[in-house]
């Protein structure tokens, strides 16, 4: 009878351990799901920021081109201003 009781105790411990493992598995599955959602949100944010970066770089290039055009126009006008100053 003592062997039967010992076997019964082992069986209860195994059942409790299995419950513990199941709970731990469920907890880890919830954590994985949350991490996947967070990773997806961060990937979306990264994509949005990359798009914004490209937009800003394009704006910067457009402004740079406009400034260069203005500087070129000033360079063309400057000799005329120097000549007009000499006449004056």
């Amino acid at each position: 009878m003592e062997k039967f009781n010992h076997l019964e105790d082992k069986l209860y411990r195994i059942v409790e351990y299995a419950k513990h493992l199941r709970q731990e598995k469920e907890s880890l599955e919830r954590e994985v799901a949350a991490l996947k959602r967070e990773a997806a949100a961060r990937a979306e944010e990264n994509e949005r920021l990359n798009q914004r970066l490209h937009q800003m770089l394009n704006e910067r290039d457009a402004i740079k081109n406009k400034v260069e055009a203005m500087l070129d126009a000033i360079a063309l006008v400057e000799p005329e201003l120097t000549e007009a100053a000499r006449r004056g």
Side-chain angles (χ1 to χ4, degrees):
M1 190 67 167
E2 188 176 315
K3 285 185 178 184
F4 183 74
N5 288 337
H6 183 65
L7 183 60
E8 186 179 24
D9 287 342
K10 281 187 176 183
L11 182 61
Y12 284 128
R13 280 186 267 155
I14 290 171
V15 168
E16 288 302 315
Y17 185 65
K19 285 181 187 178
H20 171 74
L21 289 177
R22 187 179 309 117
Q23 290 171 346
E24 190 174 312
K25 178 185 174 212
E26 290 170 356
S27 174
L28 290 172
E29 287 173 343
R30 286 190 300 273
E31 186 177 343
V32 165
L35 290 171
K36 284 181 179 180
R37 286 190 301 273
E38 184 179 336
R42 294 199 185 228
E44 289 175 12
E45 178 69 5
N46 188 40
E47 180 61 30
R48 186 186 68 76
L49 291 172
N50 277 330
Q51 289 175 355
R52 180 69 178 133
L53 174 63
H54 289 295
Q55 179 186 2
M56 293 177 84
L57 290 173
N58 290 337
E59 289 173 4
R60 181 199 66 180
D61 290 342
I63 290 170
K64 178 183 173 190
N65 290 336
K66 286 181 181 182
V67 168
E68 286 175 352
M70 287 187 286
L71 290 173
D72 289 343
I74 290 171
L76 291 174
V77 172
E78 187 177 72
E80 294 172 7
L81 291 175
T82 306
E83 200 173 308
R86 281 189 231 171
R87 287 189 220 151

